[in-house]
Amino acid sequence: MTADFSASPDAAPAPHTFQVDLRGLVDLLSHHLYASPRVYLRELLQNAVDALTARRAADPDAPSRIRLRTGDHSLSITDTGIGLSERDMHELLATIGRSSKRGDGLEAARSGFLGQFGIGLLACFVVAERIRVVSRSARTPDAAPVEWTARDDGSYTVRVLNVAAHPKAGTTVHLEARRGSEEWLTPRRVAELARHFGSLLPYDIRVDDAAVTGDAAPWAATYATPQARRAALVAHCRDVFGFAPLDAIDLDLPAAGVRGVAYVLPGAVSPAQRAGHRVHLKGMLLTERADGLLPDWAFFVRCVLDTDTLRPTASREALYEDEALAAVRDALGARVGVKSLALHDPELLRTMLPWLPFETTDGRVPLTEFARRHPVVHFTRTVEEFRQVAAIASAQGIGVVNGGYTYDSELVEALPHVLPGATVAELDGETVTAHLDAVDGADELALAPFLATARARLDALGCDVALRAFHPVTVPALHLDDRQARHEQARQEAAEEADALWSGILGSLRGETPRARLVLNHLNPLVRRIASLPNTELAGTAVEALYGQSLLMARRPLRPADSALLNRAFAGLLEWSTLPGGGAYEGDEAR
C-alpha cells in the first residue's frame, strides 16, 4: 500500500508558521552573533534608553532614570520609560525581530532609538535561565501593571498584577543567572559593564546607587585652560588605547552627526596594521574595533566617536557599510589627512600651508603668518623639546614651532619653497642659552662654590649646570637638551650595562656631543636663596630637586636614575625641614 501525496490542483495549501527553538537561538546568539556574553548588559541598557526616549518624546518633563540592582545570582534593571501594556507583552517580547518602535505613537521618537527590543531581550538568555519583566504603560495610565515571565525552554506566561506591584510607569527586568554564568551578574562585573557601555549616555544611570553616568565626553567637556583640555584628552587616550598621543584632532562633523577625537600615534606603525576605533551610538558604546571608519592611509590615528547617523550591524558590534559610512569616512579623512597630502603634493602645499595652524610660541597660527613675525623660524622635532623651551623662548622673543606632531617638522622645513626668503632652523640648547642674559661676572664668581656643588651633583646624570638671567622670573630652572645629548645619554647607559667588549666598542663611539644642561635662573628668588645656603649638602639636595622639577615641567620621560634622584631629593628635603631650627643655615655640622 502506498501513500498518495498528490493534492487536488484546486485545493488551497494550508498555511504553516515557523517554529523557533529558543535554546538553539540562544546558542546562535552566544556563539555566532555576539562576541561575548557581556553584551547582555548593553542590550538591557539599550532597551531602557529606548523606553526613556519614547516617553520623553511624548512627555519632555518625564523622569529619566535607570537603576540596576544586583542580588544573589540575579540582576534587576528599572527604567522610568514608556512601559508596556499586556498587548505589548505578547506582540513585542514574544515575537523575534519585532521592534517596539513600530506604531502605537512610538514612531515619532524612532530617530532616537538604539536597537530592537525583542531580539535584545532574548539575548539576555545568554547569561540567564529566566527573565521576568514587570511593566506599566505610560500611554494608558489607568492600565494595571503586567508581568511577563519567560524561560530558556521557549515558554512564557503573562499575567496582570495589582497596582502596588509597579505603582509608576516604567519597566523592571529581572534576570536569574543560568548555571555557569553567575559571574556575569556579580556586582563588580555589572558595574564594570555598565560603565564600559553606558558612561556617555545622557541619562541618570546607577548601579547599586553608584553613578555610572554624569561626566560629559572628554572632547565635549568644558575646561579652564587649553592645557587642562589637552591633559584630559591625553588621560582619556591612555585609558582607552594605552598610549599617550602626539596630538588630538577634534572630529566635530555636525552635518554627518559625528562628534569625537582622533589620537595620533606616538610612534611609527605599519600601514597594514588594522586600526581599532571606538564608536558610540547616541552615547552607547557600539564597538571598540570599528573597521572602515577612516581611509586606509589614515593608519597613524585611533578614533573615539559618538554618532547618531551611522547604522550598526545586526549584532550591534560593527558599523554597516553604506553610503552614510562612506560619506563620514571621506569627511573624517579630510580632517585628519590634509597635512599628509600637502606634504606629498607641492601644489596643495602652496595652497594649504597659509591656512594650516601649527602649535607655536605665539599660539596656534598659520606657518606663513608666524614666519612674517620672526626672521628665523626655529622648530623642534619632538613635542618634549618644544615643551622644554616654549615659555622661555617666548619670553626671549625666539619663534619656535612644535614640529613633533605627524608631518609638522617636514612641513616647516618645506616653508622656504612656499615663502621664498624664509629662514628655517632646528632649535638646539645652544641657541636657547645664547638668548638668555649672562650674569654679572662678579656675581657669578661669588657663586662659584655653589655652582661647583651643583655640577658635582648632576655630573653622574650627564647634565651640566649654567647660570643665566631670564624671564619669566617664576621659572627657577630650565632643562635643555637635544637629540644628540639624548643619544649620548643612551650610549653611556648602554656602556655601563654592557660587558667589557661592548663597553669598549660603545666607548669608542663617544664624540664631542653636547650634554644636557640645567640652566638656573639668577632672577628667581628661590634660586638666589638656594645659592646663598652655607650648608653645601642642603644646597646640593635643593639643586637635585630643581633638576627633577625641570624634567617634570617639560614632561620628559624619567629614566630610572632620574626617578631615584627625585625620591632622594624629596626625602632629603623632608629630613632637612624636620631638623631642630630647620637646619638650613646651621652649616655643614648640622648633620
Side-chain angles (χ1 to χ4, degrees):
M1 183 176 179
T2 59
D4 183 6
F5 289 97
S6 63
S8 169
D10 297 327
H16 300 278
T17 57
F18 286 100
Q19 300 299 312
V20 176
D21 177 359
L22 186 56
R23 285 179 176 165
L25 177 62
V26 171
D27 180 75
L28 176 67
L29 293 175
S30 60
H31 292 99
H32 300 283
L33 186 62
Y34 295 127
S36 165
R38 67 179 184 167
V39 298
Y40 88 91
L41 194 69
R42 186 193 65 195
E43 301 295 341
L44 286 175
L45 285 176
Q46 286 186 171
N47 292 340
V49 169
D50 286 344
L52 294 177
T53 303
R55 187 171 183 187
R56 291 294 292 271
D59 180 7
D61 297 324
S64 299
R65 296 188 301 272
I66 300 175
R67 298 290 183 263
L68 294 94
R69 297 280 180 186
T70 57
D72 186 17
H73 304 324
S74 66
L75 170 68
S76 66
I77 176 170
T78 300
D79 66 70
T80 57
I82 195 68
L84 299 171
S85 65
E86 182 178 4
R87 177 185 173 188
D88 295 332
M89 292 283 192
H90 287 286
E91 292 190 351
L92 303 177
L93 300 190
T95 305
I96 305 299
R98 175 70 66 87
S99 171
S100 62
K101 293 69 169 178
R102 298 177 183 172
D104 294 330
L106 298 179
E107 185 69 31
R110 187 182 182 102
S111 64
F113 290 124
L114 295 173
Q116 287 196 338
F117 202 115
I119 193 71
L121 187 60
L122 290 179
C124 294
F125 279 121
V126 172
V127 299
E129 68 176 8
R130 190 172 83 116
I131 302 174
R132 186 167 66 92
V133 180
V134 179
S135 188
R136 188 174 184 187
S137 175
R139 287 173 288 145
T140 52
D142 56 342
V146 185
E147 178 191 71
W148 179 89
T149 304
R151 293 186 173 276
D152 60 1
D153 62 2
S155 63
Y156 76 93
T157 60
V158 176
R159 66 188 181 112
V160 178
L161 307 176
N162 59 49
V163 173
H166 209 289
K168 296 182 179 180
T171 301
T172 299
V173 179
H174 303 269
L175 303 185
E176 294 179 13
R178 67 167 54 242
R179 184 170 299 179
S181 298
E182 294 87 353
E183 195 271 337
W184 291 103
L185 272 63
T186 59
R188 179 190 64 82
R189 181 54 66 93
V190 170
E192 173 190 298
L193 293 177
R195 284 191 295 269
H196 180 72
F197 287 114
S199 61
L200 299 187
L201 288 170
Y203 296 111
D204 178 12
I205 303 176
R206 295 175 181 269
V207 177
D208 294 330
D209 297 323
V212 170
T213 56
D215 295 331
W219 57 84
T222 301
Y223 300 94
T225 64
Q227 292 76 15
R229 184 177 192 271
R230 175 177 173 77
L233 290 177
V234 169
H236 178 247
C237 184
R238 283 187 184 275
D239 182 56
V240 172
F241 295 118
F243 65 83
L246 282 180
D247 197 5
I249 305 170
D250 286 316
L251 301 177
D252 190 10
L253 305 172
V258 171
R259 302 152 299 278
V261 61
Y263 294 116
V264 180
L265 290 164
V269 62
S270 169
Q273 181 175 329
R274 291 171 63 88
H277 305 296
R278 190 181 181 97
V279 177
H280 297 257
L281 179 62
K282 304 181 183 73
M284 179 74 73
L285 179 64
L286 183 71
T287 178
E288 300 168 272
R289 300 179 298 276
D291 256 343
L293 190 62
L294 290 176
D296 291 339
W297 53 259
F299 55 86
F300 53 86
V301 299
R302 298 292 181 266
C303 295
V304 183
L305 298 179
D306 186 28
T307 175
D308 52 22
T309 58
L310 300 179
R311 293 171 55 198
T313 59
S315 67
R316 275 163 279 176
E317 295 184 314
L319 293 172
Y320 187 78
E321 185 69 46
D322 58 8
E323 292 182 0
L325 178 58
V328 167
R329 181 164 50 236
D330 291 342
L332 294 179
R335 292 298 302 271
V336 171
V338 169
K339 289 184 177 180
S340 170
L341 295 175
L343 184 63
H344 297 95
D345 187 324
E347 186 62 33
L348 186 61
L349 175 66
R350 284 189 291 272
T351 302
M352 295 302 301
L353 201 55
W355 307 101
L356 292 177
F358 287 76
E359 184 178 4
T360 76
T361 47
D362 291 354
R364 289 189 66 83
V365 297
L367 200 54
T368 50
E369 177 183 336
F370 186 77
R372 293 186 181 98
R373 300 178 187 175
H374 300 278
V376 178
V377 176
H378 292 93
F379 70 95
T380 63
R381 291 196 183 273
T382 68
V383 175
E384 289 79 11
E385 290 174 0
F386 179 79
R387 289 171 180 162
Q388 284 183 83
V389 303
I392 306 302
S394 179
Q396 312 309 312
I398 307 173
V400 184
V401 178
N402 184 356
Y405 299 133
T406 305
Y407 303 122
D408 279 11
S409 60
E410 293 92 335
L411 288 170
V412 175
E413 290 180 300
L415 178 62
H417 299 292
V418 177
L419 193 65
T423 302
V424 173
E426 184 174 353
L427 186 71
D428 56 31
E430 293 291 339
T431 301
V432 177
T433 305
H435 280 76
L436 305 180
D437 293 336
V439 177
D440 180 78
D443 289 340
E444 187 162 9
L445 183 62
L447 294 177
F450 163 71
L451 293 174
T453 298
R455 288 170 182 141
R457 283 299 185 98
L458 300 184
D459 182 67
L461 296 170
C463 183
D464 290 331
V465 177
L467 185 67
R468 294 288 187 274
F470 56 86
H471 292 272
V473 175
T474 54
V475 177
L478 174 65
H479 182 271
L480 293 175
D481 65 0
D482 51 30
R483 286 183 300 160
Q484 289 183 325
R486 286 195 293 277
H487 290 165
E488 175 61 17
Q489 284 183 342
R491 187 204 61 77
Q492 289 178 350
E493 292 170 3
E496 291 170 1
E497 298 175 0
D499 57 28
L501 174 61
W502 279 107
S503 180
I505 294 173
L506 291 170
S508 68
L509 297 177
R510 181 174 183 176
E512 296 299 322
T513 305
R515 306 173 82 199
R517 183 176 305 169
L518 181 70
V519 183
L520 300 175
N521 188 0
H522 191 244
L523 299 180
N524 180 267
L526 175 62
V527 171
R528 296 169 77 99
R529 287 198 297 270
I530 293 173
S532 66
L533 289 172
N535 191 311
T536 56
E537 183 67 25
L538 177 57
T541 301
V543 168
E544 290 179 337
L546 289 177
Y547 171 83
Q549 183 205 33
S550 68
L551 290 179
L552 295 176
M553 292 296 292
R555 287 185 271 186
R556 289 295 310 277
L558 298 181
R559 300 170 296 165
D562 298 329
S563 298
L565 175 140
L566 270 174
N567 293 332
R568 183 173 66 247
F570 179 70
L573 291 177
L574 283 178
E575 183 179 350
W576 282 105
S577 68
T578 56
L579 287 174
Y585 290 90
E586 297 182 10
D588 292 337
E589 299 77 24
R591 292 178 67 87

